[in-house]
Amino acid sequence: MKKELSKTEARKKIEDYFKQDNLNNSQTRKIKRLSMKYKIRLGDYRKRFCKKCLLDLKDGKIRIDKFYKIAECKCGFKNRFKIS
Ligand SMILES: [Zn+2]
């Protein structure tokens, strides 16, 4: 039987997941789905994985231009994040 999480539990699960150094794309997909279901903003956590294939971005190339941080993923997709 599948247990429904409370929003607090879901948020904790997400936070715990991003505490680890290595993200796994199938896990990231689950976490993303969880965050959408519970309407929890991922905020800075979104910068940890590729928007397209959800791979961990830490091995990718990172470039900084005037307004954006551009993280190129191994899949070739360029993830752009606004620098605040
Ligand atoms: Zn990618």
Side-chain angles (χ1 to χ4, degrees):
M1 215 171 78
K2 221 178 147 199
K3 191 179 155 275
E4 283 288 305
L5 296 172
S6 72
K7 192 166 181 176
T8 321
E9 281 169 331
R11 185 177 284 125
K12 191 176 179 308
K13 214 173 162 181
I14 293 170
E15 280 168 9
D16 283 347
Y17 176 66
F18 284 105
K19 269 179 202 156
Q20 42 180 1
D21 287 332
N22 295 298
L23 307 180
N24 161 298
N25 55 342
S26 65
Q27 276 302 105
T28 304
R29 186 170 290 124
K30 279 184 204 155
I31 290 294
K32 229 184 133 186
R33 202 172 292 152
L34 194 72
S35 80
M36 284 190 282
K37 187 176 169 193
Y38 290 91
K39 298 186 173 69
I40 295 167
R41 284 168 186 274
L42 289 180
D44 278 350
Y45 294 145
R46 270 177 35 230
K47 298 174 185 168
R48 298 273 312 269
F49 55 86
C50 174
K51 236 182 258 176
K52 200 174 174 190
C53 69
L54 306 178
L55 269 181
D56 197 324
L57 278 177
K58 93 177 166 283
D59 302 324
K61 277 177 264 171
I62 300 207
R63 237 180 49 216
I64 311 262
D65 76 10
K66 216 172 175 184
F67 303 108
Y68 293 98
K69 183 175 138 184
I70 299 154
E72 190 175 344
C73 176
K74 277 186 254 176
C75 75
F77 186 78
K78 292 185 177 73
N79 294 273
R80 304 209 306 167
F81 303 108
K82 222 175 192 146
I83 298 169
S84 46

Coordinates of all heavy atoms in Angstrom, one line a residue:
M1 N 0.8 -1.2 0.0 CA 0.0 0.0 0.0 C 0.9 1.2 0.0 O 1.9 1.3 0.7 CB -0.9 0.0 1.2 CG -2.3 0.6 0.9 SD -3.4 0.3 2.3 CE -2.8 1.6 3.5
K2 N 0.5 2.2 -0.8 CA 1.3 3.4 -0.9 C 0.8 4.4 0.1 O -0.3 4.8 0.2 CB 1.2 4.0 -2.3 CG 2.5 4.5 -2.8 CD 2.3 5.0 -4.2 CE 3.3 6.2 -4.4 NZ 3.0 7.0 -5.5
K3 N 1.8 4.9 0.9 CA 1.5 5.9 1.9 C 1.6 7.3 1.4 O 2.6 7.6 0.7 CB 2.5 5.7 3.1 CG 2.2 6.4 4.3 CD 3.2 6.1 5.4 CE 3.3 7.2 6.4 NZ 4.2 8.3 6.0
E4 N 0.6 8.1 1.7 CA 0.7 9.5 1.3 C 1.5 10.3 2.3 O 1.5 10.1 3.5 CB -0.7 10.1 1.3 CG -1.6 9.7 0.1 CD -1.1 10.3 -1.2 OE1 -1.0 11.6 -1.3 OE2 -0.8 9.6 -2.2
L5 N 2.4 11.1 1.7 CA 3.2 11.9 2.6 C 2.5 13.2 2.9 O 1.7 13.7 2.1 CB 4.5 12.2 1.8 CG 5.5 11.1 1.4 CD1 6.6 11.6 0.6 CD2 6.1 10.4 2.7
S6 N 2.9 13.8 4.0 CA 2.4 15.1 4.3 C 3.4 16.0 3.6 O 4.5 15.6 3.1 CB 2.5 15.4 5.8 OG 3.8 15.5 6.2
K7 N 3.0 17.3 3.5 CA 3.9 18.2 2.8 C 5.3 18.4 3.5 O 6.3 18.5 2.8 CB 3.2 19.6 2.6 CG 3.9 20.5 1.7 CD 3.1 21.7 1.3 CE 3.9 22.5 0.3 NZ 3.2 23.7 -0.2
T8 N 5.2 18.4 4.8 CA 6.5 18.5 5.5 C 7.4 17.3 5.3 O 8.6 17.4 5.1 CB 6.2 18.5 7.1 OG1 5.0 19.3 7.2 CG2 7.3 19.1 7.8
E9 N 6.8 16.1 5.2 CA 7.5 14.9 5.0 C 8.1 14.9 3.6 O 9.3 14.5 3.3 CB 6.7 13.6 5.1 CG 6.4 13.2 6.6 CD 5.3 12.2 6.7 OE1 4.4 12.2 5.9 OE2 5.4 11.4 7.7
A10 N 7.3 15.4 2.6 CA 7.8 15.5 1.2 C 9.0 16.4 1.1 O 9.9 16.2 0.5 CB 6.6 15.9 0.3
R11 N 8.8 17.6 1.8 CA 9.9 18.6 1.8 C 11.2 18.0 2.4 O 12.3 18.2 1.9 CB 9.5 19.8 2.5 CG 10.5 20.9 2.4 CD 10.1 22.2 3.0 NE 9.1 22.9 2.3 CZ 7.9 23.3 2.7 NH1 7.5 23.0 3.9 NH2 7.0 23.9 1.9
K12 N 11.0 17.3 3.4 CA 12.2 16.7 4.1 C 12.9 15.7 3.2 O 14.1 15.6 3.1 CB 11.8 16.0 5.4 CG 13.0 15.6 6.3 CD 12.6 15.0 7.6 CE 13.8 14.7 8.4 NZ 14.7 13.8 7.7
K13 N 12.1 14.9 2.5 CA 12.6 13.9 1.6 C 13.4 14.6 0.5 O 14.5 14.1 0.1 CB 11.4 13.2 1.0 CG 11.7 11.7 0.7 CD 10.5 11.0 0.2 CE 10.9 9.7 -0.5 NZ 9.8 8.9 -1.0
I14 N 12.9 15.7 0.0 CA 13.6 16.4 -1.1 C 14.9 17.0 -0.5 O 16.0 16.9 -1.2 CB 12.7 17.5 -1.6 CG1 11.5 16.9 -2.4 CG2 13.5 18.5 -2.5 CD1 10.4 17.9 -2.7
E15 N 14.8 17.6 0.7 CA 16.1 18.2 1.2 C 17.1 17.1 1.5 O 18.3 17.3 1.2 CB 15.7 18.9 2.6 CG 15.2 20.3 2.3 CD 14.6 20.9 3.6 OE1 14.8 20.3 4.7 OE2 13.9 21.9 3.4
D16 N 16.7 16.0 2.0 CA 17.6 14.8 2.3 C 18.2 14.4 1.0 O 19.4 14.1 0.9 CB 16.9 13.7 2.9 CG 16.6 13.9 4.4 OD1 17.2 14.9 4.9 OD2 15.8 13.2 5.0
Y17 N 17.4 14.3 -0.1 CA 18.0 13.8 -1.3 C 19.1 14.7 -1.9 O 20.1 14.3 -2.3 CB 16.8 13.8 -2.4 CG 17.3 13.4 -3.8 CD1 17.8 12.1 -3.9 CD2 17.3 14.3 -4.8 CE1 18.3 11.7 -5.2 CE2 17.8 13.9 -6.1 CZ 18.3 12.6 -6.2 OH 18.8 12.3 -7.4
F18 N 18.9 16.0 -1.7 CA 19.9 17.0 -2.3 C 21.1 17.1 -1.3 O 22.0 17.8 -1.7 CB 19.3 18.3 -2.6 CG 18.5 18.2 -3.9 CD1 17.1 18.2 -3.9 CD2 19.1 18.1 -5.1 CE1 16.4 18.1 -5.1 CE2 18.4 18.0 -6.3 CZ 17.0 18.0 -6.3
K19 N 21.1 16.5 -0.2 CA 22.2 16.5 0.7 C 23.4 15.7 0.2 O 24.5 15.8 0.5 CB 21.8 16.1 2.1 CG 21.4 17.2 3.0 CD 21.0 16.7 4.3 CE 20.1 17.7 5.0 NZ 19.2 17.0 6.0
Q20 N 23.0 14.7 -0.6 CA 24.1 13.8 -1.1 C 24.8 14.5 -2.3 O 24.3 15.4 -3.0 CB 23.5 12.5 -1.5 CG 22.2 12.5 -2.3 CD 21.7 11.2 -2.7 OE1 22.2 10.2 -2.4 NE2 20.5 11.2 -3.3
D21 N 26.0 14.0 -2.5 CA 26.9 14.6 -3.5 C 26.6 14.1 -4.9 O 26.7 14.9 -5.9 CB 28.4 14.3 -3.2 CG 28.9 15.0 -2.0 OD1 28.4 16.1 -1.8 OD2 29.8 14.5 -1.4
N22 N 26.2 12.9 -5.0 CA 25.9 12.4 -6.3 C 24.4 12.2 -6.5 O 23.7 11.5 -5.8 CB 26.6 11.0 -6.5 CG 28.1 11.2 -6.5 OD1 28.7 11.9 -7.4 ND2 28.7 10.6 -5.5
L23 N 23.9 12.8 -7.6 CA 22.5 12.7 -7.9 C 22.4 11.6 -9.0 O 23.2 11.5 -9.8 CB 21.9 14.0 -8.4 CG 22.1 15.2 -7.4 CD1 21.5 16.4 -8.0 CD2 21.5 14.9 -6.1
N24 N 21.3 10.9 -8.9 CA 21.0 9.9 -9.9 C 19.8 10.3 -10.7 O 18.8 10.7 -10.1 CB 20.8 8.6 -9.0 CG 20.1 7.5 -9.7 OD1 19.0 7.6 -10.2 ND2 20.8 6.4 -9.9
N25 N 19.8 10.2 -12.0 CA 18.7 10.9 -12.7 C 17.4 10.2 -12.6 O 16.4 10.9 -12.6 CB 19.1 11.1 -14.2 CG 19.5 9.9 -14.9 OD1 19.9 8.9 -14.3 ND2 19.5 9.9 -16.2
S26 N 17.3 8.9 -12.3 CA 16.0 8.4 -12.1 C 15.4 8.8 -10.7 O 14.2 9.0 -10.6 CB 16.0 6.8 -12.3 OG 16.7 6.2 -11.3
Q27 N 16.3 8.9 -9.7 CA 15.9 9.4 -8.4 C 15.5 10.9 -8.6 O 14.5 11.3 -8.0 CB 17.0 9.3 -7.4 CG 17.2 8.0 -6.7 CD 15.9 7.6 -6.0 OE1 15.2 6.7 -6.5 NE2 15.6 8.2 -4.9
T28 N 16.3 11.7 -9.3 CA 15.9 13.1 -9.5 C 14.6 13.2 -10.1 O 13.8 14.1 -9.7 CB 17.0 13.8 -10.4 OG1 18.3 13.6 -9.8 CG2 16.7 15.2 -10.5
R29 N 14.2 12.3 -11.0 CA 12.9 12.4 -11.7 C 11.8 12.2 -10.7 O 10.8 12.9 -10.7 CB 12.9 11.3 -12.8 CG 11.6 11.4 -13.6 CD 11.6 10.5 -14.8 NE 12.6 11.0 -15.8 CZ 13.6 10.3 -16.3 NH1 13.8 9.1 -15.9 NH2 14.4 10.8 -17.2
K30 N 12.0 11.3 -9.8 CA 11.0 11.0 -8.7 C 10.9 12.2 -7.8 O 9.8 12.6 -7.4 CB 11.5 9.8 -7.9 CG 11.1 8.5 -8.5 CD 11.4 7.3 -7.6 CE 11.7 6.1 -8.4 NZ 12.5 5.1 -7.7
I31 N 12.0 12.8 -7.5 CA 12.0 13.9 -6.5 C 11.3 15.1 -7.2 O 10.6 15.8 -6.6 CB 13.5 14.3 -6.1 CG1 14.0 13.2 -5.2 CG2 13.5 15.6 -5.5 CD1 13.4 13.1 -3.9
K32 N 11.6 15.3 -8.5 CA 10.9 16.4 -9.2 C 9.4 16.2 -9.3 O 8.7 17.1 -9.1 CB 11.5 16.4 -10.7 CG 11.9 17.7 -11.1 CD 12.4 17.7 -12.6 CE 11.7 18.9 -13.3 NZ 12.0 18.8 -14.7
R33 N 9.0 15.0 -9.5 CA 7.6 14.7 -9.5 C 7.0 14.9 -8.1 O 5.9 15.5 -8.0 CB 7.4 13.2 -9.9 CG 6.0 12.9 -10.4 CD 6.0 11.5 -11.0 NE 6.8 11.3 -12.2 CZ 7.3 10.1 -12.5 NH1 7.1 9.0 -11.7 NH2 8.0 10.0 -13.6
L34 N 7.7 14.5 -7.1 CA 7.2 14.8 -5.7 C 7.1 16.3 -5.5 O 6.1 16.7 -4.9 CB 8.3 14.2 -4.8 CG 7.9 14.0 -3.3 CD1 6.9 12.9 -3.2 CD2 9.1 13.7 -2.5
S35 N 8.0 17.1 -5.9 CA 8.0 18.5 -5.7 C 6.8 19.1 -6.4 O 6.2 20.0 -5.9 CB 9.3 19.2 -6.1 OG 9.3 19.4 -7.5
M36 N 6.5 18.6 -7.6 CA 5.4 19.1 -8.3 C 4.0 18.8 -7.7 O 3.1 19.6 -7.6 CB 5.4 18.6 -9.8 CG 6.4 19.3 -10.6 SD 6.3 19.0 -12.4 CE 7.0 17.4 -12.4
K37 N 4.0 17.5 -7.2 CA 2.8 17.0 -6.6 C 2.4 17.8 -5.3 O 1.3 18.2 -5.1 CB 3.0 15.5 -6.2 CG 1.7 14.9 -5.7 CD 1.9 13.4 -5.5 CE 0.8 12.8 -4.7 NZ 1.1 11.5 -4.2
Y38 N 3.5 18.1 -4.6 CA 3.3 18.9 -3.3 C 3.5 20.4 -3.5 O 3.5 21.1 -2.5 CB 4.2 18.3 -2.2 CG 3.7 16.9 -1.8 CD1 4.2 15.8 -2.4 CD2 2.7 16.7 -0.8 CE1 3.8 14.5 -2.0 CE2 2.3 15.5 -0.4 CZ 2.8 14.4 -1.0 OH 2.4 13.1 -0.7
K39 N 3.7 20.8 -4.7 CA 4.0 22.2 -5.0 C 5.1 22.8 -4.1 O 4.9 23.8 -3.5 CB 2.7 23.0 -4.8 CG 1.6 22.6 -5.8 CD 0.4 23.5 -5.7 CE -0.7 23.2 -6.7 NZ -1.3 21.9 -6.5
I40 N 6.2 22.1 -4.1 CA 7.3 22.5 -3.3 C 8.3 23.1 -4.3 O 8.7 22.4 -5.3 CB 7.9 21.4 -2.5 CG1 6.9 20.9 -1.4 CG2 9.2 21.8 -1.8 CD1 7.3 19.6 -0.8
R41 N 8.8 24.3 -4.1 CA 9.7 24.9 -5.0 C 11.1 24.3 -4.8 O 11.5 24.1 -3.6 CB 9.9 26.4 -4.7 CG 8.7 27.2 -5.3 CD 8.8 28.6 -4.7 NE 7.6 29.3 -5.2 CZ 7.5 30.0 -6.3 NH1 8.6 30.0 -7.1 NH2 6.4 30.6 -6.7
L42 N 11.8 23.9 -5.8 CA 13.1 23.3 -5.7 C 14.2 24.4 -5.5 O 15.3 24.2 -5.1 CB 13.4 22.4 -6.9 CG 12.7 21.1 -6.9 CD1 13.1 20.3 -8.1 CD2 12.9 20.3 -5.7
G43 N 13.9 25.6 -6.0 CA 14.8 26.7 -5.8 C 16.2 26.4 -6.3 O 16.3 26.0 -7.5
D44 N 17.2 26.6 -5.5 CA 18.6 26.4 -5.9 C 18.9 24.9 -6.2 O 19.8 24.7 -6.9 CB 19.5 26.9 -4.8 CG 19.7 28.4 -4.9 OD1 19.3 29.0 -5.9 OD2 20.3 28.9 -4.0
Y45 N 18.1 24.0 -5.7 CA 18.3 22.6 -6.0 C 18.2 22.4 -7.5 O 18.8 21.4 -8.1 CB 17.3 21.7 -5.3 CG 17.4 21.7 -3.8 CD1 16.2 21.6 -3.1 CD2 18.6 21.8 -3.2 CE1 16.3 21.6 -1.7 CE2 18.7 21.8 -1.8 CZ 17.6 21.7 -1.1 OH 17.6 21.7 0.3
R46 N 17.4 23.2 -8.2 CA 17.3 23.0 -9.7 C 18.6 23.2 -10.4 O 18.7 22.7 -11.5 CB 16.2 24.0 -10.2 CG 14.9 23.4 -10.2 CD 13.8 24.4 -10.6 NE 14.2 25.3 -11.7 CZ 14.0 26.6 -11.6 NH1 13.4 27.1 -10.6 NH2 14.4 27.3 -12.6
K47 N 19.5 23.9 -9.8 CA 20.8 24.1 -10.5 C 21.7 22.9 -10.4 O 22.8 22.9 -10.9 CB 21.5 25.3 -9.8 CG 20.7 26.6 -10.0 CD 21.3 27.7 -9.3 CE 20.4 29.0 -9.4 NZ 20.8 30.0 -8.4
R48 N 21.3 21.9 -9.6 CA 22.1 20.7 -9.5 C 21.9 19.7 -10.6 O 22.8 18.8 -10.7 CB 21.7 20.0 -8.1 CG 21.9 20.8 -6.9 CD 23.3 20.7 -6.3 NE 23.7 19.3 -6.2 CZ 23.6 18.6 -5.1 NH1 22.9 19.1 -4.0 NH2 24.0 17.4 -5.0
F49 N 20.9 19.8 -11.4 CA 20.7 18.8 -12.4 C 20.3 19.4 -13.7 O 19.7 20.5 -13.8 CB 19.7 17.7 -12.0 CG 18.3 18.3 -11.5 CD1 17.4 18.5 -12.5 CD2 18.1 18.5 -10.2 CE1 16.1 19.0 -12.1 CE2 16.9 19.0 -9.8 CZ 15.9 19.3 -10.7
C50 N 20.5 18.7 -14.8 CA 20.2 19.2 -16.1 C 18.7 19.2 -16.3 O 17.9 18.3 -16.0 CB 20.8 18.2 -17.2 SG 20.3 18.6 -18.9
K51 N 18.2 20.3 -16.9 CA 16.8 20.5 -17.2 C 16.2 19.4 -18.1 O 15.1 19.1 -18.1 CB 16.6 21.9 -17.8 CG 15.6 22.7 -17.0 CD 15.4 24.1 -17.7 CE 16.2 25.1 -17.0 NZ 16.1 26.4 -17.7
K52 N 17.1 19.0 -19.0 CA 16.6 18.1 -20.1 C 16.7 16.7 -19.7 O 15.7 16.0 -19.9 CB 17.5 18.4 -21.4 CG 16.8 17.9 -22.6 CD 17.6 18.3 -23.8 CE 17.0 17.7 -25.1 NZ 17.9 17.9 -26.2
C53 N 17.9 16.2 -19.3 CA 18.0 14.8 -19.0 C 18.1 14.5 -17.5 O 18.2 13.3 -17.2 CB 19.2 14.2 -19.8 SG 20.8 14.8 -19.1
L54 N 18.1 15.5 -16.7 CA 18.2 15.3 -15.2 C 19.5 14.8 -14.7 O 19.5 14.4 -13.5 CB 17.0 14.5 -14.7 CG 15.6 14.9 -15.1 CD1 14.5 14.0 -14.6 CD2 15.3 16.3 -14.6
L55 N 20.5 14.7 -15.5 CA 21.8 14.3 -15.0 C 22.4 15.3 -14.0 O 22.1 16.5 -14.1 CB 22.8 14.0 -16.1 CG 22.8 12.7 -16.8 CD1 23.9 12.7 -17.9 CD2 23.2 11.6 -15.8
D56 N 23.2 14.8 -13.1 CA 23.9 15.7 -12.2 C 24.8 16.6 -13.0 O 25.5 16.2 -13.9 CB 24.8 14.7 -11.3 CG 25.3 15.4 -10.1 OD1 25.6 16.6 -10.2 OD2 25.4 14.8 -9.1
L57 N 24.7 17.9 -12.7 CA 25.5 18.9 -13.5 C 26.9 19.1 -12.9 O 27.7 19.9 -13.5 CB 24.8 20.2 -13.5 CG 23.6 20.4 -14.5 CD1 23.0 21.7 -14.4 CD2 24.2 20.2 -15.9
K58 N 27.3 18.4 -11.9 CA 28.5 18.8 -11.3 C 29.7 18.4 -12.2 O 30.8 19.0 -12.0 CB 28.6 18.2 -9.9 CG 29.3 16.9 -9.8 CD 29.4 16.5 -8.3 CE 29.7 15.1 -8.2 NZ 29.4 13.9 -8.3
D59 N 29.5 17.5 -13.1 CA 30.6 17.1 -14.0 C 30.7 17.9 -15.3 O 31.5 17.8 -16.1 CB 30.5 15.6 -14.4 CG 30.5 14.7 -13.2 OD1 31.3 15.0 -12.2 OD2 29.8 13.7 -13.2
G60 N 29.6 18.7 -15.4 CA 29.5 19.5 -16.6 C 30.4 20.7 -16.7 O 31.0 21.1 -15.6
K61 N 30.5 21.3 -17.8 CA 31.3 22.6 -18.0 C 30.5 23.7 -17.5 O 29.3 23.8 -17.9 CB 31.7 22.8 -19.4 CG 33.0 22.0 -19.8 CD 33.3 22.2 -21.3 CE 32.7 21.0 -22.1 NZ 32.7 21.2 -23.5
I62 N 31.1 24.6 -16.8 CA 30.4 25.8 -16.3 C 31.0 27.1 -16.9 O 32.2 27.2 -16.8 CB 30.3 25.8 -14.8 CG1 29.6 24.5 -14.3 CG2 29.6 27.1 -14.3 CD1 28.9 24.6 -13.0
R63 N 30.1 27.9 -17.4 CA 30.6 29.2 -17.9 C 29.8 30.3 -17.3 O 28.6 30.1 -17.0 CB 30.4 29.2 -19.4 CG 31.7 29.4 -20.2 CD 31.4 29.5 -21.7 NE 30.3 30.3 -22.0 CZ 29.4 30.1 -23.0 NH1 29.5 29.0 -23.7 NH2 28.4 30.9 -23.2
I64 N 30.4 31.4 -17.0 CA 29.7 32.5 -16.5 C 29.7 33.6 -17.4 O 30.8 34.0 -17.9 CB 30.3 32.9 -15.1 CG1 30.6 31.7 -14.2 CG2 29.5 34.0 -14.4 CD1 29.6 31.4 -13.2
D65 N 28.6 34.2 -17.8 CA 28.6 35.4 -18.5 C 28.0 36.5 -17.7 O 27.7 36.3 -16.5 CB 28.1 35.3 -20.0 CG 26.6 35.2 -20.1 OD1 25.9 35.4 -19.0 OD2 26.1 34.9 -21.1
K66 N 27.6 37.6 -18.3 CA 27.2 38.7 -17.5 C 26.0 38.5 -16.6 O 26.0 38.8 -15.5 CB 26.9 39.9 -18.5 CG 27.3 41.2 -17.9 CD 27.1 42.3 -19.0 CE 27.4 43.6 -18.5 NZ 27.1 44.7 -19.6
F67 N 25.0 37.8 -17.2 CA 23.8 37.6 -16.5 C 23.5 36.2 -16.1 O 22.6 35.9 -15.3 CB 22.6 38.2 -17.3 CG 22.7 39.6 -17.6 CD1 23.0 40.0 -18.9 CD2 22.7 40.6 -16.6 CE1 23.1 41.4 -19.2 CE2 22.8 41.9 -16.9 CZ 23.1 42.3 -18.2
Y68 N 24.1 35.3 -16.8 CA 23.8 33.9 -16.6 C 25.0 33.0 -16.3 O 26.1 33.3 -16.7 CB 23.2 33.3 -17.9 CG 21.9 33.9 -18.3 CD1 21.8 34.9 -19.2 CD2 20.7 33.4 -17.6 CE1 20.5 35.5 -19.5 CE2 19.5 34.0 -18.0 CZ 19.4 35.0 -18.9 OH 18.2 35.5 -19.2
K69 N 24.7 32.0 -15.6 CA 25.6 30.9 -15.4 C 25.2 29.8 -16.3 O 24.0 29.4 -16.3 CB 25.5 30.4 -13.9 CG 26.5 29.4 -13.5 CD 26.4 29.1 -12.0 CE 26.5 27.6 -11.9 NZ 26.3 27.2 -10.5
I70 N 26.1 29.4 -17.2 CA 25.7 28.4 -18.1 C 26.4 27.0 -17.8 O 27.6 27.0 -17.8 CB 26.0 28.8 -19.6 CG1 25.2 30.1 -19.9 CG2 25.6 27.8 -20.6 CD1 25.8 31.0 -20.9
A71 N 25.6 26.1 -17.5 CA 26.2 24.8 -17.2 C 25.8 23.8 -18.3 O 24.7 23.5 -18.6 CB 25.6 24.2 -15.9
E72 N 26.9 23.4 -19.0 CA 26.7 22.5 -20.1 C 26.7 21.0 -19.6 O 27.7 20.6 -19.0 CB 27.7 22.7 -21.2 CG 27.4 21.9 -22.5 CD 28.3 22.2 -23.6 OE1 29.1 23.2 -23.5 OE2 28.3 21.4 -24.6
C73 N 25.6 20.3 -19.9 CA 25.5 18.9 -19.5 C 26.2 18.0 -20.4 O 26.5 18.4 -21.6 CB 24.0 18.6 -19.4 SG 23.7 16.9 -19.0
K74 N 26.4 16.8 -20.0 CA 27.0 15.8 -20.9 C 26.1 15.5 -22.1 O 26.6 15.0 -23.1 CB 27.3 14.5 -20.1 CG 28.6 14.6 -19.3 CD 28.9 13.2 -18.6 CE 28.6 13.3 -17.1 NZ 28.8 12.1 -16.4
C75 N 24.8 15.7 -21.9 CA 23.9 15.4 -23.1 C 24.0 16.6 -24.1 O 23.4 16.5 -25.1 CB 22.5 15.3 -22.6 SG 21.7 16.8 -22.1
G76 N 24.7 17.6 -23.8 CA 24.9 18.7 -24.7 C 23.9 19.9 -24.5 O 24.1 20.9 -25.1
F77 N 23.0 19.7 -23.6 CA 22.1 20.8 -23.3 C 22.7 21.8 -22.4 O 23.4 21.5 -21.5 CB 20.8 20.2 -22.6 CG 19.7 21.2 -22.4 CD1 18.9 21.6 -23.4 CD2 19.5 21.8 -21.2 CE1 17.9 22.5 -23.2 CE2 18.5 22.7 -21.0 CZ 17.7 23.1 -22.0
K78 N 22.5 23.1 -22.8 CA 23.1 24.2 -22.0 C 22.0 24.7 -21.0 O 21.0 25.2 -21.4 CB 23.6 25.3 -22.9 CG 24.8 24.9 -23.7 CD 25.3 26.1 -24.5 CE 26.6 25.7 -25.2 NZ 26.3 24.9 -26.4
N79 N 22.3 24.5 -19.7 CA 21.3 25.0 -18.7 C 21.7 26.4 -18.3 O 22.9 26.6 -17.9 CB 21.4 24.1 -17.5 CG 20.9 22.7 -17.8 OD1 19.7 22.4 -17.7 ND2 21.8 21.8 -18.2
R80 N 20.8 27.3 -18.5 CA 21.1 28.7 -18.1 C 20.4 29.1 -16.8 O 19.2 28.9 -16.7 CB 20.7 29.6 -19.2 CG 21.3 29.3 -20.6 CD 21.5 30.4 -21.4 NE 20.2 31.2 -21.6 CZ 20.2 32.4 -22.1 NH1 21.3 33.0 -22.5 NH2 19.1 33.0 -22.3
F81 N 21.2 29.6 -15.9 CA 20.6 30.1 -14.7 C 21.0 31.5 -14.5 O 22.1 32.0 -14.6 CB 21.2 29.3 -13.5 CG 21.0 27.8 -13.6 CD1 22.1 27.0 -13.9 CD2 19.8 27.2 -13.5 CE1 21.9 25.6 -14.0 CE2 19.6 25.9 -13.6 CZ 20.7 25.0 -13.9
K82 N 20.0 32.3 -14.2 CA 20.2 33.7 -13.9 C 21.0 33.9 -12.7 O 20.8 33.2 -11.7 CB 18.8 34.4 -13.7 CG 18.8 35.7 -14.5 CD 17.4 36.3 -14.4 CE 17.4 37.5 -15.4 NZ 16.0 37.6 -16.0
I83 N 22.0 34.8 -12.8 CA 22.8 35.0 -11.6 C 22.0 36.1 -10.8 O 21.7 37.2 -11.3 CB 24.2 35.5 -12.0 CG1 24.9 34.4 -12.7 CG2 25.0 35.9 -10.7 CD1 26.2 34.8 -13.4
S84 N 21.8 35.8 -9.6 CA 21.0 36.8 -8.8 C 22.0 37.7 -8.0 O 23.1 37.2 -7.6 CB 20.0 36.2 -7.9 OG 20.6 35.1 -7.2
Ligands
ZN1 ZN 21.5 16.8 -19.8

